[in-house]
Amino acid sequence: DGPLARLRDRNQLDRADKARNFALAQAGEKYRECFFRAGLDPLRTLDPSQEVKSAFSPNGLWRCESQIENLQKFRAAREAIPEDFREPLAAIVLEDREIVDVGREIGAYKDAKMAGAVALFILRRGLTALARHYRLISPTGAV
């Protein structure tokens, strides 16, 4: 159970609407799935914004077409997230970092409640953008 699953289970992604809470969590899981299926591991051995280097695979080739397809899906989803929200969302969803730690890094708050609130706000906005991209929610936000 990572931070995203705990937030989903506690209905903290959207306290008022359980369906939307689930849709936001599902968007995060789809994003993570594309990340791993593209061959991008949590150790950041491959930067998705750069071309593939020969050290990753012989002759700089991808191992299979599905990796290329998932990399394209990952990049498209990443572009759908507002730029200011990308890194905090990636830290929580892809790296399984705790929201309090991420909040302390991006905000000026040392208090755990305030840091967590800042990170949760950013995570919700980023997941909303992803859910719209994946068409899990409508552009108006309805599930």
Side-chain angles (χ1 to χ4, degrees):
D1 272 347
L4 183 64
R6 286 194 303 274
L7 291 168
R8 178 201 63 220
D9 294 345
R10 296 176 187 154
N11 290 318
Q12 289 182 314
L13 298 174
D14 191 317
R15 293 176 192 254
D17 186 346
K18 288 186 179 185
R20 184 178 167 88
N21 180 72
F22 182 74
L24 295 178
Q26 190 177 13
E29 291 300 328
K30 283 185 83 153
Y31 189 61
R32 180 197 313 252
E33 184 178 327
C34 283
F35 178 77
F36 284 108
R37 287 189 177 198
L40 307 172
D41 66 9
L43 298 177
R44 303 270 184 207
T45 57
L46 181 65
D47 183 355
S49 65
Q50 301 294 319
E51 289 186 280
V52 178
K53 297 183 175 55
S54 61
F56 180 73
S57 179
N59 302 320
L61 301 174
W62 291 94
R63 290 186 218 160
C64 59
E65 287 182 19
S66 68
Q67 277 187 313
I68 296 170
E69 181 181 336
N70 279 289
L71 180 63
Q72 291 169 340
K73 287 179 182 178
F74 175 76
R75 285 180 172 167
R78 189 170 191 272
E79 287 299 315
I81 303 168
E83 192 171 340
D84 292 344
F85 302 159
R86 288 179 191 161
E87 292 307 314
L89 184 136
I92 296 166
V93 174
L94 303 179
E95 298 171 18
D96 284 334
R97 297 199 34 226
E98 294 300 326
I99 63 168
V100 172
D101 297 335
V102 174
R104 285 184 176 140
E105 287 177 13
I106 59 177
Y109 300 106
K110 293 186 181 197
D111 177 62
K113 278 189 171 187
M114 291 302 292
V118 167
L120 188 55
F121 173 82
I122 289 172
L123 178 64
R124 285 175 180 153
R125 295 303 179 262
L127 289 175
T128 298
L130 276 177
R132 286 182 181 134
H133 171 75
Y134 291 128
R135 297 184 181 171
L136 298 171
I137 60 175
S138 70
T140 60
V143 179

